[in-house]
Amino acid sequence: PGYDKSDFPFVMPDLGRYRAPLNMISDIIKSGSKVPKKAKTWCVDEIIRLAKEDDMVVGKWLVYSSPEMADAVWEKIARATATGKLGCSSKVAPTRNLDQNRTVICVYVKDCTHRREVQRVLDVLYNHLEIKSGLGNFKPDIFTYLNIYSGNEWRLKPTLYDWRDVQEWDLSKSKDQEL
């Protein structure tokens, strides 16, 4: 038996409206000016605001591993995900017959704007599963859909949160845990 579209309810919305903030950055670059940090911050904030409107706020912690260690790291993450200790899902890139010196494992969080959940999943990865070597930063899926990768044309960081910063968040006093 095959799958039908109802098995996968996610439908990619039109990404055209996300181009406006990116075009603003492109215009600054084309003018020969350096892109101010304030403009980059506004662009990222606007992308996240639009993503919230479109309910496209899934994001992931990136974990990097050598192909030789990927199975052991993946086993820890898969078990913690299956038992509900980590985020909503996780996946591992294939390692067989690849000429790469690292593989990536993604640990998903349903809403990248819920800082408490983003921090909780990081805490499990870092402190409980003891994944310290190879821990990457947090990337919202909307960045992937918009091709915001390392070295992108807008000179934006390809991730939203640095794991070191997230560890330092003090969310105990904040009533609103969203961005």
Side-chain angles (χ1 to χ4, degrees), residues 104-137:
V104 67
I105 299 169
C106 299
V107 179
Y108 288 89
V109 174
K110 284 184 181 180
D111 189 336
C112 67
T113 68
H114 286 173
R115 294 165 59 108
R116 187 177 302 276
E117 180 64 1
V118 169
Q119 188 181 55
R120 185 196 70 77
V121 171
L122 173 63
D123 180 63
V124 172
L125 286 168
Y126 192 85
N127 293 314
H128 301 281
L129 299 182
E130 298 184 348
I131 296 173
K132 294 172 171 56
S133 174
L135 187 57
N137 293 326

mmCIF file of all heavy atoms in Angstrom, residues 104-137:
data_model
loop_
_atom_site.group_PDB
_atom_site.id
_atom_site.type_symbol
_atom_site.label_atom_id
_atom_site.label_comp_id
_atom_site.label_asym_id
_atom_site.label_seq_id
_atom_site.Cartn_x
_atom_site.Cartn_y
_atom_site.Cartn_z
ATOM 1 N N VAL A 104 24.920 14.434 10.098
ATOM 2 C CA VAL A 104 24.095 15.302 10.946
ATOM 3 C C VAL A 104 22.882 14.537 11.466
ATOM 4 O O VAL A 104 22.309 13.709 10.759
ATOM 5 C CB VAL A 104 23.658 16.587 10.196
ATOM 6 C CG1 VAL A 104 22.714 16.280 9.058
ATOM 7 C CG2 VAL A 104 23.022 17.592 11.144
ATOM 8 N N ILE A 105 22.558 14.814 12.704
ATOM 9 C CA ILE A 105 21.353 14.292 13.343
ATOM 10 C C ILE A 105 20.529 15.516 13.737
ATOM 11 O O ILE A 105 21.062 16.469 14.312
ATOM 12 C CB ILE A 105 21.691 13.445 14.586
ATOM 13 C CG1 ILE A 105 22.554 12.240 14.184
ATOM 14 C CG2 ILE A 105 20.417 13.006 15.301
ATOM 15 C CD1 ILE A 105 23.157 11.486 15.358
ATOM 16 N N CYS A 106 19.246 15.495 13.409
ATOM 17 C CA CYS A 106 18.349 16.602 13.732
ATOM 18 C C CYS A 106 17.402 16.171 14.843
ATOM 19 O O CYS A 106 16.811 15.092 14.764
ATOM 20 C CB CYS A 106 17.525 17.012 12.507
ATOM 21 S SG CYS A 106 18.531 17.574 11.120
ATOM 22 N N VAL A 107 17.271 17.018 15.846
ATOM 23 C CA VAL A 107 16.339 16.784 16.945
ATOM 24 C C VAL A 107 15.335 17.933 16.905
ATOM 25 O O VAL A 107 15.681 19.081 17.143
ATOM 26 C CB VAL A 107 17.054 16.727 18.308
ATOM 27 C CG1 VAL A 107 16.053 16.497 19.427
ATOM 28 C CG2 VAL A 107 18.127 15.645 18.300
ATOM 29 N N TYR A 108 14.094 17.589 16.572
ATOM 30 C CA TYR A 108 13.069 18.597 16.279
ATOM 31 C C TYR A 108 12.306 19.074 17.506
ATOM 32 O O TYR A 108 12.047 18.310 18.436
ATOM 33 C CB TYR A 108 12.072 18.045 15.258
ATOM 34 C CG TYR A 108 12.690 17.959 13.883
ATOM 35 C CD1 TYR A 108 13.371 16.830 13.479
ATOM 36 C CD2 TYR A 108 12.619 19.035 13.011
ATOM 37 C CE1 TYR A 108 13.961 16.757 12.227
ATOM 38 C CE2 TYR A 108 13.202 18.981 11.755
ATOM 39 C CZ TYR A 108 13.878 17.836 11.373
ATOM 40 O OH TYR A 108 14.468 17.784 10.141
ATOM 41 N N VAL A 109 11.936 20.345 17.448
ATOM 42 C CA VAL A 109 11.074 21.001 18.431
ATOM 43 C C VAL A 109 9.896 21.565 17.630
ATOM 44 O O VAL A 109 10.096 22.149 16.561
ATOM 45 C CB VAL A 109 11.836 22.129 19.163
ATOM 46 C CG1 VAL A 109 10.919 22.909 20.067
ATOM 47 C CG2 VAL A 109 13.019 21.557 19.936
ATOM 48 N N LYS A 110 8.678 21.377 18.134
ATOM 49 C CA LYS A 110 7.484 21.796 17.387
ATOM 50 C C LYS A 110 7.411 23.298 17.133
ATOM 51 O O LYS A 110 6.875 23.730 16.128
ATOM 52 C CB LYS A 110 6.205 21.365 18.121
ATOM 53 C CG LYS A 110 5.902 19.912 17.992
ATOM 54 C CD LYS A 110 4.580 19.593 18.659
ATOM 55 C CE LYS A 110 4.304 18.108 18.547
ATOM 56 N NZ LYS A 110 3.040 17.752 19.180
ATOM 57 N N ASP A 111 7.924 24.087 18.057
ATOM 58 C CA ASP A 111 7.799 25.541 17.913
ATOM 59 C C ASP A 111 9.086 26.226 18.365
ATOM 60 O O ASP A 111 9.389 26.270 19.557
ATOM 61 C CB ASP A 111 6.609 26.038 18.736
ATOM 62 C CG ASP A 111 6.271 27.497 18.482
ATOM 63 O OD1 ASP A 111 7.156 28.263 18.049
ATOM 64 O OD2 ASP A 111 5.120 27.878 18.742
ATOM 65 N N CYS A 112 9.809 26.754 17.401
ATOM 66 C CA CYS A 112 11.095 27.396 17.695
ATOM 67 C C CYS A 112 10.943 28.681 18.493
ATOM 68 O O CYS A 112 11.926 29.205 19.020
ATOM 69 C CB CYS A 112 11.860 27.664 16.406
ATOM 70 S SG CYS A 112 11.119 28.909 15.319
ATOM 71 N N THR A 113 9.733 29.198 18.621
ATOM 72 C CA THR A 113 9.522 30.423 19.400
ATOM 73 C C THR A 113 9.231 30.131 20.863
ATOM 74 O O THR A 113 9.187 31.049 21.677
ATOM 75 C CB THR A 113 8.388 31.290 18.806
ATOM 76 O OG1 THR A 113 7.134 30.615 18.965
ATOM 77 C CG2 THR A 113 8.635 31.596 17.340
ATOM 78 N N HIS A 114 9.036 28.883 21.223
ATOM 79 C CA HIS A 114 8.830 28.502 22.623
ATOM 80 C C HIS A 114 10.186 28.219 23.255
ATOM 81 O O HIS A 114 10.683 27.092 23.233
ATOM 82 C CB HIS A 114 7.897 27.301 22.738
ATOM 83 C CG HIS A 114 6.474 27.648 22.476
ATOM 84 N ND1 HIS A 114 5.490 26.713 22.385
ATOM 85 C CD2 HIS A 114 5.851 28.840 22.277
ATOM 86 C CE1 HIS A 114 4.332 27.311 22.140
ATOM 87 N NE2 HIS A 114 4.541 28.594 22.070
ATOM 88 N N ARG A 115 10.732 29.258 23.805
ATOM 89 C CA ARG A 115 12.100 29.203 24.312
ATOM 90 C C ARG A 115 12.287 28.163 25.418
ATOM 91 O O ARG A 115 13.330 27.522 25.489
ATOM 92 C CB ARG A 115 12.527 30.585 24.780
ATOM 93 C CG ARG A 115 12.626 31.561 23.635
ATOM 94 C CD ARG A 115 12.702 32.999 24.084
ATOM 95 N NE ARG A 115 13.826 33.273 24.933
ATOM 96 C CZ ARG A 115 14.903 33.975 24.577
ATOM 97 N NH1 ARG A 115 14.973 34.487 23.381
ATOM 98 N NH2 ARG A 115 15.873 34.185 25.432
ATOM 99 N N ARG A 116 11.285 27.980 26.249
ATOM 100 C CA ARG A 116 11.417 26.988 27.331
ATOM 101 C C ARG A 116 11.600 25.572 26.749
ATOM 102 O O ARG A 116 12.434 24.802 27.222
ATOM 103 C CB ARG A 116 10.211 27.035 28.263
ATOM 104 C CG ARG A 116 10.379 26.149 29.486
ATOM 105 C CD ARG A 116 9.209 26.259 30.452
ATOM 106 N NE ARG A 116 8.966 27.591 30.938
ATOM 107 C CZ ARG A 116 9.594 28.159 31.973
ATOM 108 N NH1 ARG A 116 10.518 27.495 32.613
ATOM 109 N NH2 ARG A 116 9.300 29.388 32.353
ATOM 110 N N GLU A 117 10.855 25.234 25.711
ATOM 111 C CA GLU A 117 10.984 23.903 25.104
ATOM 112 C C GLU A 117 12.309 23.767 24.355
ATOM 113 O O GLU A 117 12.953 22.726 24.402
ATOM 114 C CB GLU A 117 9.797 23.622 24.172
ATOM 115 C CG GLU A 117 9.835 22.272 23.490
ATOM 116 C CD GLU A 117 9.750 21.059 24.420
ATOM 117 O OE1 GLU A 117 9.629 21.212 25.653
ATOM 118 O OE2 GLU A 117 9.820 19.935 23.904
ATOM 119 N N VAL A 118 12.720 24.827 23.674
ATOM 120 C CA VAL A 118 14.016 24.816 22.986
ATOM 121 C C VAL A 118 15.127 24.562 24.002
ATOM 122 O O VAL A 118 16.013 23.729 23.784
ATOM 123 C CB VAL A 118 14.237 26.144 22.224
ATOM 124 C CG1 VAL A 118 15.667 26.276 21.729
ATOM 125 C CG2 VAL A 118 13.255 26.265 21.059
ATOM 126 N N GLN A 119 15.064 25.238 25.141
ATOM 127 C CA GLN A 119 16.072 25.079 26.185
ATOM 128 C C GLN A 119 15.984 23.699 26.846
ATOM 129 O O GLN A 119 17.005 23.070 27.137
ATOM 130 C CB GLN A 119 15.926 26.173 27.235
ATOM 131 C CG GLN A 119 17.053 26.193 28.247
ATOM 132 C CD GLN A 119 16.856 27.286 29.273
ATOM 133 O OE1 GLN A 119 15.805 27.343 29.929
ATOM 134 N NE2 GLN A 119 17.851 28.158 29.415
ATOM 135 N N ARG A 120 14.768 23.210 27.049
ATOM 136 C CA ARG A 120 14.593 21.889 27.677
ATOM 137 C C ARG A 120 15.221 20.790 26.832
ATOM 138 O O ARG A 120 15.934 19.917 27.335
ATOM 139 C CB ARG A 120 13.100 21.585 27.884
ATOM 140 C CG ARG A 120 12.847 20.278 28.644
ATOM 141 C CD ARG A 120 11.420 19.802 28.516
ATOM 142 N NE ARG A 120 11.108 19.336 27.180
ATOM 143 C CZ ARG A 120 11.483 18.152 26.668
ATOM 144 N NH1 ARG A 120 12.216 17.310 27.367
ATOM 145 N NH2 ARG A 120 11.125 17.804 25.443
ATOM 146 N N VAL A 121 14.979 20.827 25.526
ATOM 147 C CA VAL A 121 15.546 19.805 24.632
ATOM 148 C C VAL A 121 17.070 19.899 24.624
ATOM 149 O O VAL A 121 17.766 18.881 24.663
ATOM 150 C CB VAL A 121 14.939 19.912 23.215
ATOM 151 C CG1 VAL A 121 15.662 19.007 22.237
ATOM 152 C CG2 VAL A 121 13.445 19.569 23.264
ATOM 153 N N LEU A 122 17.605 21.107 24.609
ATOM 154 C CA LEU A 122 19.064 21.270 24.694
ATOM 155 C C LEU A 122 19.593 20.681 25.993
ATOM 156 O O LEU A 122 20.621 19.987 25.996
ATOM 157 C CB LEU A 122 19.454 22.744 24.594
ATOM 158 C CG LEU A 122 20.934 23.043 24.847
ATOM 159 C CD1 LEU A 122 21.819 22.372 23.806
ATOM 160 C CD2 LEU A 122 21.172 24.535 24.880
ATOM 161 N N ASP A 123 18.902 20.922 27.089
ATOM 162 C CA ASP A 123 19.332 20.392 28.380
ATOM 163 C C ASP A 123 19.403 18.863 28.349
ATOM 164 O O ASP A 123 20.357 18.272 28.856
ATOM 165 C CB ASP A 123 18.381 20.859 29.490
ATOM 166 C CG ASP A 123 18.796 20.325 30.844
ATOM 167 O OD1 ASP A 123 19.899 20.675 31.313
ATOM 168 O OD2 ASP A 123 18.027 19.537 31.436
ATOM 169 N N VAL A 124 18.414 18.228 27.749
ATOM 170 C CA VAL A 124 18.428 16.764 27.654
ATOM 171 C C VAL A 124 19.626 16.312 26.811
ATOM 172 O O VAL A 124 20.358 15.390 27.199
ATOM 173 C CB VAL A 124 17.102 16.215 27.083
ATOM 174 C CG1 VAL A 124 17.197 14.715 26.809
ATOM 175 C CG2 VAL A 124 15.945 16.514 28.021
ATOM 176 N N LEU A 125 19.825 16.956 25.671
ATOM 177 C CA LEU A 125 20.955 16.580 24.804
ATOM 178 C C LEU A 125 22.288 16.737 25.539
ATOM 179 O O LEU A 125 23.116 15.829 25.539
ATOM 180 C CB LEU A 125 20.976 17.438 23.536
ATOM 181 C CG LEU A 125 19.932 17.135 22.481
ATOM 182 C CD1 LEU A 125 19.891 18.244 21.442
ATOM 183 C CD2 LEU A 125 20.208 15.791 21.817
ATOM 184 N N TYR A 126 22.477 17.889 26.151
ATOM 185 C CA TYR A 126 23.779 18.242 26.724
ATOM 186 C C TYR A 126 24.029 17.577 28.075
ATOM 187 O O TYR A 126 25.079 16.987 28.296
ATOM 188 C CB TYR A 126 23.872 19.765 26.857
ATOM 189 C CG TYR A 126 25.258 20.261 27.175
ATOM 190 C CD1 TYR A 126 26.184 20.480 26.161
ATOM 191 C CD2 TYR A 126 25.640 20.524 28.485
ATOM 192 C CE1 TYR A 126 27.462 20.943 26.447
ATOM 193 C CE2 TYR A 126 26.917 20.983 28.780
ATOM 194 C CZ TYR A 126 27.819 21.192 27.758
ATOM 195 O OH TYR A 126 29.079 21.646 28.030
ATOM 196 N N ASN A 127 23.068 17.681 28.971
ATOM 197 C CA ASN A 127 23.295 17.229 30.348
ATOM 198 C C ASN A 127 22.890 15.787 30.611
ATOM 199 O O ASN A 127 23.524 15.113 31.415
ATOM 200 C CB ASN A 127 22.575 18.153 31.334
ATOM 201 C CG ASN A 127 23.193 19.536 31.346
ATOM 202 O OD1 ASN A 127 24.407 19.671 31.396
ATOM 203 N ND2 ASN A 127 22.368 20.553 31.263
ATOM 204 N N HIS A 128 21.834 15.313 29.970
ATOM 205 C CA HIS A 128 21.359 13.951 30.264
ATOM 206 C C HIS A 128 21.926 12.919 29.292
ATOM 207 O O HIS A 128 22.317 11.836 29.708
ATOM 208 C CB HIS A 128 19.831 13.921 30.296
ATOM 209 C CG HIS A 128 19.267 14.848 31.323
ATOM 210 N ND1 HIS A 128 19.219 14.535 32.659
ATOM 211 C CD2 HIS A 128 18.768 16.106 31.230
ATOM 212 C CE1 HIS A 128 18.712 15.550 33.342
ATOM 213 N NE2 HIS A 128 18.430 16.517 32.501
ATOM 214 N N LEU A 129 21.963 13.255 28.006
ATOM 215 C CA LEU A 129 22.549 12.326 27.031
ATOM 216 C C LEU A 129 24.056 12.560 26.877
ATOM 217 O O LEU A 129 24.735 11.785 26.222
ATOM 218 C CB LEU A 129 21.857 12.469 25.675
ATOM 219 C CG LEU A 129 20.358 12.176 25.652
ATOM 220 C CD1 LEU A 129 19.813 12.318 24.239
ATOM 221 C CD2 LEU A 129 20.063 10.791 26.209
ATOM 222 N N GLU A 130 24.536 13.642 27.475
ATOM 223 C CA GLU A 130 25.954 14.015 27.455
ATOM 224 C C GLU A 130 26.517 14.152 26.049
ATOM 225 O O GLU A 130 27.614 13.713 25.757
ATOM 226 C CB GLU A 130 26.769 13.051 28.318
ATOM 227 C CG GLU A 130 26.344 13.091 29.772
ATOM 228 C CD GLU A 130 27.181 12.214 30.674
ATOM 229 O OE1 GLU A 130 27.966 11.381 30.184
ATOM 230 O OE2 GLU A 130 27.037 12.373 31.905
ATOM 231 N N ILE A 131 25.722 14.771 25.189
ATOM 232 C CA ILE A 131 26.185 15.065 23.834
ATOM 233 C C ILE A 131 26.766 16.474 23.875
ATOM 234 O O ILE A 131 26.046 17.461 23.827
ATOM 235 C CB ILE A 131 25.041 14.932 22.815
ATOM 236 C CG1 ILE A 131 24.573 13.485 22.794
ATOM 237 C CG2 ILE A 131 25.492 15.395 21.436
ATOM 238 C CD1 ILE A 131 23.353 13.233 21.961
ATOM 239 N N LYS A 132 28.071 16.523 24.020
ATOM 240 C CA LYS A 132 28.760 17.809 24.124
ATOM 241 C C LYS A 132 29.597 18.055 22.879
ATOM 242 O O LYS A 132 29.568 19.123 22.295
ATOM 243 C CB LYS A 132 29.603 17.848 25.387
ATOM 244 C CG LYS A 132 28.726 17.810 26.648
ATOM 245 C CD LYS A 132 29.535 17.649 27.892
ATOM 246 C CE LYS A 132 28.789 17.808 29.164
ATOM 247 N NZ LYS A 132 27.658 17.036 29.460
ATOM 248 N N SER A 133 30.314 17.049 22.454
ATOM 249 C CA SER A 133 31.108 17.154 21.236
ATOM 250 C C SER A 133 30.169 17.026 20.036
ATOM 251 O O SER A 133 29.370 16.104 19.963
ATOM 252 C CB SER A 133 32.150 16.028 21.214
ATOM 253 O OG SER A 133 32.836 16.034 19.995
ATOM 254 N N GLY A 134 30.238 17.966 19.149
ATOM 255 C CA GLY A 134 29.407 17.905 17.945
ATOM 256 C C GLY A 134 28.056 18.582 18.070
ATOM 257 O O GLY A 134 27.278 18.584 17.117
ATOM 258 N N LEU A 135 27.768 19.155 19.236
ATOM 259 C CA LEU A 135 26.490 19.839 19.388
ATOM 260 C C LEU A 135 26.513 21.124 18.566
ATOM 261 O O LEU A 135 27.399 21.958 18.710
ATOM 262 C CB LEU A 135 26.227 20.159 20.859
ATOM 263 C CG LEU A 135 24.858 20.729 21.191
ATOM 264 C CD1 LEU A 135 23.743 19.798 20.733
ATOM 265 C CD2 LEU A 135 24.744 20.983 22.683
ATOM 266 N N GLY A 136 25.559 21.236 17.669
ATOM 267 C CA GLY A 136 25.468 22.410 16.811
ATOM 268 C C GLY A 136 24.428 23.376 17.343
ATOM 269 O O GLY A 136 23.957 23.250 18.474
ATOM 270 N N ASN A 137 24.052 24.315 16.528
ATOM 271 C CA ASN A 137 23.095 25.336 16.922
ATOM 272 C C ASN A 137 21.684 24.955 16.489
ATOM 273 O O ASN A 137 21.466 23.895 15.913
ATOM 274 C CB ASN A 137 23.531 26.689 16.368
ATOM 275 C CG ASN A 137 24.819 27.155 17.022
ATOM 276 O OD1 ASN A 137 25.065 26.888 18.198
ATOM 277 N ND2 ASN A 137 25.652 27.834 16.263
#
